Structures are given as C-alpha cells and as structure tokens.
Amino acid sequence: MNETVEHDSIDCNKKDELLELYAFFQNDITSETMLKLTNQVEELNPAHLFLLIATGGGDPREPLRFFNYIQAKGIKLTTINIGCCASAGVTLFLCGDDRVCPAYSSFVLHEPHAPGKQYITRKMVEDNIAFNKKIEENTYHFISHRCGLEQKKWDEWHSCENVFISSQEALEHKIATSQQSIQIPRNAK
C-alpha cells in the first residue's frame, strides 16, 4: 500500500505499516522554524524521518532541543545535506542516525555564538561571553558524541573565522556516515 499525505512542505509516504516522512528544511534555524518542524513531526508521528537540509544556520540551541525530542520519540532520523549546512545547520545535520552528504554538498563551521541583540554594558558583555562559552562547550560535546571529533581538530577549526568542509572531509571526520546518491520519492515536495 502506497499512500501520500501532504502537509505544508512535508510529504508522508505510508508503505504498509511503516511511515516515512520527508521534510525539506531550507530555513534559518530559529525557535519558530524548529517548532513548526517539531509540530509537523508530532502530528504525523513517523517511524522514520528523512530531513533534507540546506541552511545558513541560526540559533545553536535549537538543533540540540530537536535532537532530544527525536530521541525521546524514538524516531529514526536520516539527515541529508542537499547543498550546504552552515553553522547550526551542521549541528542539525549531526542529529541524524544516518547522515548523508552527496558529493556536491558542503559544510561551514565557525565558533558558536548566541543569537541576540547588541550588548552595551560590561556586565551584559561578560554574561554574553559566558553564555557563548557554554554554548560552545555543549556544541563540542554533542559533535564529539555524534562523530568522535577530537578536541584538537575542534580547536583547529575554531582558530579560523569560518571553515569550509567538503563532503569528502565530512566523511573522513565522521560528520557524515554516507556519500550515497539521494533517492527522494517522486511525490515528495
């Protein structure tokens, strides 16, 4: 049995009892965009989510929240880089149990920082520095847990303003688990 259910930018393919959900995430990572994705996943309750990602990044806290949600629901997650995953997009990509980066895809890393407004007082600057340090520690621990990235490599990458990582380098550093071709159902939007 093959059935397709459309919901906003998400298509759902039902084959027998297995529910596969293909979600295209081509937005900035904000609490609003991640909440919309989470709500759609909650409503459709798939057994397996294929998240196709192309993003310039955003709030570095949101992918970690999404990872915890997916883990708690017991949903198998396959992430696919369909272009470039930058900044917090790399963290979102790493949420996948299986992580696919076709040969033409890439990643951009930089030091994590908290989103927000201009800071004007010394105390606000000190608090922001402490907050950014905590976000960087959490991000490194998550990345290290997901792909085994060593502290030395993390420090090397963060000594630069931006680091471009090819799909081949992503495989070498276990950011990606596969470089296979993408097979998206024809009825996916």
Side-chain angles (χ1 to χ4, degrees):
M1 173 181 194
N2 249 338
E3 182 180 333
T4 301
V5 179
E6 292 186 26
H7 185 76
D8 280 347
S9 64
I10 292 182
D11 275 0
C12 172
N13 295 321
K14 186 172 184 181
K15 297 177 184 173
D16 298 323
E17 295 305 312
L18 177 64
L19 188 63
E20 296 178 337
L21 183 63
Y22 291 81
F24 290 78
F25 190 90
Q26 300 178 60
N27 302 302
D28 288 337
I29 297 172
T30 66
S31 58
E32 292 82 16
T33 59
M34 294 304 295
L35 182 60
K36 180 179 178 184
L37 175 62
T38 302
N39 287 341
Q40 291 173 329
V41 170
E42 185 69 24
E43 180 181 326
L44 297 171
N45 196 28
H48 192 167
L49 173 61
F50 293 85
L51 187 59
L52 296 95
I53 308 167
T55 179
D59 188 333
R61 301 166 294 184
E62 289 302 316
L64 301 177
R65 183 198 57 75
F66 184 70
F67 176 77
N68 290 332
Y69 165 76
I70 290 294
Q71 292 289 302
K73 292 286 288 184
I75 297 171
K76 179 172 173 57
L77 176 62
T78 298
T79 51
I80 304 168
N81 180 342
I82 59 170
C84 181
C85 290
S87 188
V90 176
T91 308
L92 181 60
F93 179 80
L94 283 166
C95 291
D97 301 306
D98 296 316
R99 302 179 299 271
V100 181
C101 66
Y104 56 82
S105 61
S106 61
F107 300 85
V108 177
L109 284 176
H110 64 81
E111 181 179 6
H113 54 1
K117 55 189 176 207
Q118 297 291 331
Y119 292 95
I120 53 172
T121 69
R122 182 181 57 79
K123 178 64 175 145
M124 292 171 85
V125 170
E126 290 170 356
D127 289 348
N128 190 43
I129 290 169
F131 187 61
N132 284 345
K133 183 172 174 45
K134 189 63 176 170
I135 287 175
E136 182 172 352
E137 288 171 5
N138 286 346
T139 302
Y140 168 71
H141 289 297
F142 179 76
I143 290 173
S144 176
H145 170 74
R146 297 301 287 168
C147 65
L149 187 68
E150 294 179 9
Q151 183 73 45
K152 182 178 177 182
K153 182 49 96 174
W154 174 261
D155 292 342
E156 177 187 323
W157 282 346
H158 283 90
S159 67
C160 305
E161 182 65 27
N162 291 295
V163 176
F164 177 83
I165 301 169
S166 69
S167 60
Q168 187 60 42
E169 291 170 308
L171 285 169
E172 290 169 12
H173 293 291
K174 298 180 182 153
I175 293 169
T177 58
S178 169
Q179 197 178 39
Q180 68 192 31
S181 298
I182 299 173
Q183 298 295 322
I184 303 171
R186 292 183 91 101
N187 57 356
K189 304 250 188 251

